[in-house]
Structures are given as structure tokens and as C-alpha cells.
Amino acid sequence: MVPLTGVSAADFACQDFDYLIVGGGTAGLAVAARLSENPSLSIGVLEAGPAALGEAAINEPGRFLETLGTKYDWQFETTPQAGLGDRTLVWPRGKVLGGTSALNLMTWNRGSRQDYDAWEELGNRGWGWDDLLPYFKKSESFHSPEKETQSHNRQHIDYKATGTGGPIHTSYSKQYPITHQLCHDTYVSLGIDENKAHQAGSNVGVWTNLSTVNPETNTRSYSASAYYAPIAAKPNLFVLTEALVKNVVLSHEDGQLSATGVRFAHAGEEFVASALREVILSAGSIQSPQLLELSGVGNPQVLRDAGVEVKVANSNVGENLQDHLMTVSVFEIDPSVGMPRPGAPACVVCYLPASTVISDEISKPLASKVQETEVSRIEKEGAILKNRFEADANLGQFEYIFDLANWNSNFKPEEGDDKMYCSMLQILQYPFSKGSIHIRPSTMVEADGSSISSITDKPIIDPGYYAGPHGELDLDVMTHCIRFSDKLCASAPLSDVVGSRVYPPSSVTSDDQLREWVVENTTTDWHPVGTCAMGGHGGINSGVVDERLRVYGVGRLRVVDAGIMPLQISAHLQATVYAIAEKGAHMILEDMVKRRELGEE
């Protein structure tokens, strides 16, 4: 296949790239676009999936679930999770130009100020809210709704915190079901504040969600269409699709181990592409650590078991995996409310602290249990996690999303059932559960008898849901947060149209019964982070990259994607990933200028 830029794999391998980016996904294409703004630089991007800019299933917002499990999806799965009754969970990730931004549900929001300030507290200078806000704004082009609809549809925005000239188009839905107003009013009746500045440093409260939809064309706005397509003809930008990177080439230069290029496969042939300045891994939270390990950077035991030569020993590679855990309660609803027209999910979103959701009778002993449990080997990190559970912590410990659909795959109405259902999604934002992603032990035998693991072997994904004493805390919290959904749906005016809870079944009432249901029904919200985390104060003893996103122990190699996040945030990820990419590109160019000033190049 000839890629969009018209360059063949052989020609790509012959180019002298200044910067070589592995992964043409959410972050990778954003980084490439910003680096290419300097016409003196040559930028190469290798993407394992195809280009699909004309794919209707991607571009049409109402078809957002159709691409899952297709050729555009890596179709990853977790290991059987003991905390989930030995169930495995499907983990979709984008295998297409644009990455997961081409597959996601287009939700656009940010975490609270404290989420990003926590990264800086861990020693990662320049990663607090004030530092990141300019990059959030730089990535975004917000389309303001008509004034007459703003108040009626509860569409509020703080224009000082919103971008208007960035590549990614964000907008509110043009149409809402009647339950949109009813749900808002019910939250308010329960004492929940309406958040009219949910992009400005606090997402706590109830508000109307934004989506990455261009309202002028009614199409998904994602990294391939927004960052790449407008500049695809640039002479200094080369993108090769369906190119599977096998590992990073590490060489000794001036007494230091440095990244000089990558090995990749294309159409059954193997090639080597070179980078004169840097290799940038933007393969995501799953495959950036996988590629580091396949390149010899990681836990020595993991590498030896996989038949990979140890070049840099760092036991943090692939560790620190954090994900958002989700359960979905299903209720009957009056069919007269109707169904919304197909489009990006237009939902009422609410983020609440644990102290608001869980009764004092339960939250106080639970908070004490949190304080008594060792939740992290890093003292400062443990303190941050525990402080998020304090009664005065005004942070979104839980996200609640009400929607007119049955979102629980375990609830299957009987044949002939003509009832209409709605769902309440309950999503834990600050999990204590942590896991890992690692390459598999040797599965291939070479001609000389040696064994090695390969990029074609899917990594071992073990999120550790509800595992260990700290994971037990998550299970406790998820069990109790379901009762708030019951309370909301039983309160006016939402109760005027929402009927009885059907899943969990109405017979499930005790804490023990709910706990069992949570184990059987918890799933992922597909927000993995942390597997190549910034090390902060602890450096290589605590993480994989420094605050400039440079891999410890290897020159000329960076990671720029969600994997660098040391702690999970209370938000959907894509806006933050774009901000990371924007900031990462800025630092790369900044460091290049600094090296020139020092006469190092």
C-alpha cells in the first residue's frame, strides 16, 4: 500500500529524519504536526494501522461503537482478573492513523487543578495546572452554541480557559432528550452544584459534556483529521502506515547509550529507519512500555524471560498501570421520553467527592481504612491518594453519566421485551488498584535456538483490579457508590420518567449482594495511564521518564503519551493526552534550541 505521503517503506528507511515518531495516534500526530512547523526539520511517523480518513464508521459521530473489534482495533485483552471473578476484559486501542482518538466516544473534558498539581508535587516540574492550561487551549477550537440554546440546554463555558484556534474541534450537541433537563434538575434538587466552568480547573458538580465533533461538518474531530490531514502535503513530514515497529535501535555514542532509529516491518519486509536527533515513542500506555522492553529497557527478569538483552535496568517500565473502573446500573424508563438522534453521546455528566456520594455512617470508617492501608511504595504519592478521600477534598472521586440506552452488556432483556431502558454509569476516578503491562516470556525460537519475544505477541495486561488490600478499598467504594444512582433515579423530577432498577436486580439490596454484583459487573472505562511514568523526585527509582519526558538511561529517546502520567486524573483522557503532546513537542523544540546554543549540535 502506498501511504498518504506517497513514500514507500524503502524510501522511508532511506530518509535522514531529525525526529522519528513511533505511533501515528492521538499524541503522535499532534507531536508530528508541531515539530513540522519548523521547515528545517524532517519528521517521520510510523503507524501500525491503516489510514482511514474516509471511513464513515470513524467520521460519523453516531457510529462510535462500530469500529471496536475491527481491523482498526488492536483488540487487546487483560489477563483473568481474580478481583473480577477471573474474568478477562476487552481493552480496545486504535490501530489506525489517529489511534484511539478515532475509536473513542469523543468525550472532551479536563481534570481538576489538583490532579495536575499532584504531578508537580511528585517532583515533575512544569506539569501543574497553570503550566498545562496553555497547552489544553492550544489543542482546542471550541464552537460556542447559539445564545438562545445555552441556558435551556445548560451549556456553559469559561471562555478564559477555552481554546479557540486549535486543531481539535469541540462542541456541544445540537439536540437533547427531555431527560437532559430532568437529570440536571434532579442533581440540583439533591444539593449538587451546577458547574458552569468545568474546563477551568474543577469538574466537580453537574454539567453538560462537550464532544470532539466539528459542528460545521458533523464529523468526528480527531488527530488524523485535525492535526495531520491539513498538513499532509508538507515536504518535511513523512507518514508511513501499516508499518509495525519491532524495537528501538540503541547504540553507544560518546560513552552513552542512545536511540539512533527503529526496526520496523512493512508488507512482510524488515527495514531500519534512522533518527538524527531523537526517537519519540507515542505508542500509548500499552505499547510504549512494550517497545521499551523489546528494546532492552526494563525489568531485567522480565527481559531475560523474554529472551531480550538487558541494556538499561529499570523495573518501573510497564508498572504503575492505573485505569478507571466502571459499573453500570440499568433502570426502566417511560418510552414517551423517546430516543435521541444518532450522534456523539450527549450526556449529563456529574463528578462528585466520596463524602457527597457515601453516607457519613460509611464514609468515615472507610476514610479511616484508607488512612491505615499502604496504598503506594512512594510516600508522597500515597499521601496524595489518601488526601483525595478526606472529607474536605472537593475532588471528583466518582463520575456519574446518565444516558438513554442499556450500557450493561450483562443485562439482556428477554426476547419480546418492548420496554425502554436507561443507564447510570458509575466510574471510579482515583483507583488504588494498580497493575502492569509486560512483554510475554519467549514464544519464538530462532534458527540458532535462541528464544525472543516479539512485537506481534500481545503484551500481558494485568490491571490488578480490586487486587490486594489497596484494591479492596476500590471494591468497598464501588459497592457503596451504586446507592447514589438509586437515590438519583428515585428523586424528582427524574423519577417522573425513570422506573424501577432492573440491574442490579431489585432483589439485590444488602452490601454483600451489591459487592458480589460489583465483582461480576465491573468493567473498564478504557483509560489506562502510568506505564512510562515521570519519575519526579525519585528519578529512575520511581519512574521511566524525567520531567522532559526523556527515558532514563537512554539518550535521544522520549515517551510522549498517556503512559507518562504518574497519577490518574478525574477526567476522560483525550484532552489531557493532546495537552501532553503539545507540551512535549514544545519541550523537544526548546531542548533542540538549547543544544544549539551550547554548541552540542
Side-chain angles (χ1 to χ4, degrees):
M1 174 182 176
V2 178
L4 296 183
T5 48
V7 64
S8 69
D11 288 341
F12 189 96
C14 291
Q15 295 288 326
D16 289 325
F17 296 113
D18 289 290
Y19 294 97
L20 186 57
I21 300 168
V22 179
T26 310
L29 290 181
V31 172
R34 294 308 184 190
L35 296 183
S36 73
E37 291 176 357
N38 184 330
S40 69
L41 297 176
S42 177
I43 314 301
V45 180
L46 290 165
E47 165 56 40
L53 288 168
E55 175 60 70
I58 291 174
N59 293 331
E60 296 178 15
R63 301 178 64 178
F64 53 84
L65 295 178
E66 291 183 23
T67 52
L68 303 187
T70 69
K71 65 180 180 179
Y72 302 127
D73 180 1
W74 282 97
Q75 302 181 42
F76 292 118
E77 287 187 354
T78 70
T79 59
Q81 295 294 289
L84 303 184
D86 289 327
R87 290 184 294 125
T88 61
L89 298 184
V90 174
W91 269 28
R93 293 285 96 186
K95 187 180 182 182
V96 61
L97 198 66
T100 304
S101 71
L103 272 62
N104 65 21
L105 274 65
M106 294 161 281
T107 303
W108 184 263
N109 70 329
R110 304 169 185 167
S112 291
R113 169 184 290 272
Q114 296 94 321
D115 291 349
Y116 307 104
D117 286 350
W119 298 359
E120 193 158 50
E121 286 179 46
L122 293 174
N124 302 296
R125 291 176 298 175
W127 287 93
W129 168 263
D130 290 333
D131 301 291
L132 275 172
L133 182 57
Y135 300 105
F136 276 117
K137 295 170 68 174
K138 188 176 182 180
S139 69
E140 177 184 23
S141 185
F142 171 66
H143 295 258
S144 185
E146 298 293 331
K147 290 191 178 295
E148 56 266 25
T149 68
Q150 288 186 30
S151 177
H152 178 73
N153 292 326
R154 313 291 179 90
Q155 297 168 331
H156 303 291
I157 203 75
D158 184 331
Y159 289 93
K160 293 179 181 178
T162 305
T164 56
I168 300 297
H169 295 274
T170 64
S171 63
Y172 286 110
S173 177
K174 296 178 180 179
Q175 214 174 23
Y176 296 91
I178 187 175
T179 51
H180 185 77
Q181 294 287 351
L182 298 178
C183 194
H184 265 285
D185 291 342
T186 303
Y187 275 115
V188 172
S189 74
L190 293 175
I192 308 301
D193 290 333
E194 187 171 16
N195 190 329
K196 297 184 179 181
H198 50 87
Q199 295 279 82
S202 174
N203 60 17
V204 175
V206 58
W207 39 274
T208 302
N209 76 301
L210 282 165
S211 297
T212 49
V213 173
N214 184 340
E216 296 174 358
T217 60
N218 193 33
T219 56
R220 175 193 294 267
S221 182
Y222 68 113
S223 64
S225 64
Y227 275 96
Y228 175 65
I231 62 168
K234 275 192 173 185
N236 66 332
L237 178 60
F238 301 84
V239 175
L240 184 67
T241 55
E242 300 187 61
L244 184 62
V245 174
K246 303 179 76 171
N247 64 286
V248 180
V249 178
L250 302 181
S251 308
H252 286 280
E253 294 183 342
D254 301 323
Q256 181 186 22
L257 193 65
S258 295
T260 58
V262 302
R263 291 186 180 85
F264 71 93
H266 186 276
E269 294 186 66
E270 185 172 313
F271 303 87
V272 175
S274 299
L276 300 176
R277 285 191 166 92
E278 292 186 16
V279 173
I280 301 157
L281 292 182
S282 293
S285 296
I286 295 177
Q287 288 167 297
S288 282
Q290 181 187 18
L291 283 167
L292 284 176
E293 291 182 337
L294 290 173
S295 306
V297 181
N299 184 315
Q301 191 59 56
V302 171
L303 302 188
R304 292 190 193 102
D305 289 346
V308 177
E309 178 187 356
V310 179
K311 295 184 177 180
V312 177
N314 185 341
S315 60
N316 296 303
V317 174
E319 296 292 326
N320 194 48
L321 174 62
Q322 300 158 64
D323 187 25
H324 287 154
L325 294 86
M326 178 174 71
T327 57
V328 180
S329 297
V330 183
F331 298 80
E332 285 188 37
I333 190 165
D334 190 329
S336 66
V337 302
M339 292 297 288
R341 291 176 60 185
C347 304
V348 176
V349 175
C350 187
Y351 285 82
L352 295 173
S355 57
T356 300
V357 172
I358 304 173
S359 67
D360 287 346
E361 180 185 0
I362 294 171
S363 64
K364 288 181 179 179
L366 183 57
S368 296
K369 187 176 179 181
V370 168
Q371 295 303 320
E372 296 166 1
T373 305
E374 182 179 347
V375 296
S376 173
R377 63 182 177 82
I378 302 172
E379 184 177 354
K380 183 64 176 177
E381 180 179 291
I384 291 171
L385 288 169
K386 290 180 177 183
N387 287 341
R388 289 171 169 175
F389 258 89
E390 291 295 322
D392 60 351
N394 191 33
L395 294 169
Q397 185 70 241
F398 303 103
E399 178 186 13
Y400 288 89
I401 300 177
F402 178 86
D403 196 31
L404 289 178
N406 170 21
W407 282 87
N408 195 317
S409 60
N410 288 339
F411 173 65
K412 302 185 187 302
E414 295 180 6
E415 188 174 349
D417 184 350
D418 58 357
K419 295 175 183 176
M420 183 171 161
Y421 298 98
C422 61
S423 295
M424 181 63 78
L425 284 64
Q426 300 121 174
I427 309 164
L428 178 61
Q429 299 297 295
Y430 299 130
F432 292 114
S433 299
K434 281 191 177 184
S436 63
I437 294 176
H438 292 298
I439 55 177
R440 294 183 179 276
S442 303
T443 57
M444 295 177 61
V445 179
E446 299 294 290
D448 62 359
S450 62
S451 298
I452 59 170
S453 187
S454 165
I455 188 65
T456 58
D457 299 317
K458 291 184 179 180
I460 299 171
I461 302 173
D462 181 9
Y465 295 131
Y466 301 148
H470 52 292
E472 281 282 322
L473 295 172
D474 291 340
L475 182 54
D476 287 341
V477 168
M478 286 293 285
T479 298
H480 295 297
C481 84
I482 293 172
R483 297 193 186 280
F484 184 82
S485 294
D486 294 345
K487 180 179 180 180
L488 180 78
C489 291
S491 300
L494 195 58
S495 60
D496 293 343
V497 296
V498 175
S500 60
R501 188 188 75 194
V502 296
Y503 205 70
S506 56
S507 59
V508 174
T509 55
S510 70
D511 287 347
D512 287 343
Q513 289 173 318
L514 271 179
R515 189 181 180 90
E516 183 179 346
W517 184 87
V518 168
V519 168
E520 295 171 349
N521 285 272
T522 292
T523 186
T524 168
D525 201 27
W526 304 326
H527 294 161
V529 306
T531 51
C532 294
M534 292 185 286
H537 295 304
I540 195 172
N541 295 317
S542 300
V544 179
V545 300
D546 65 13
E547 65 203 33
R548 308 292 292 183
L549 310 187
R550 298 171 297 202
V551 175
Y552 293 122
V554 184
R556 297 169 48 184
L557 180 63
R558 299 193 204 225
V559 178
V560 185
D561 56 36
I564 64 95
M565 297 166 58
L567 282 174
Q568 183 61 280
I569 60 171
S570 176
H572 295 250
L573 296 186
Q574 71 164 332
T576 298
V577 173
Y578 283 121
I580 289 170
E582 291 278 8
K583 181 174 176 64
H586 178 81
M587 291 191 299
I588 290 166
L589 293 171
E590 196 173 51
D591 289 350
M592 180 187 73
V593 171
K594 187 178 296 184
R595 286 195 300 270
R596 283 178 177 173
E597 291 174 347
L598 295 173
E600 295 178 355
E601 62 173 58

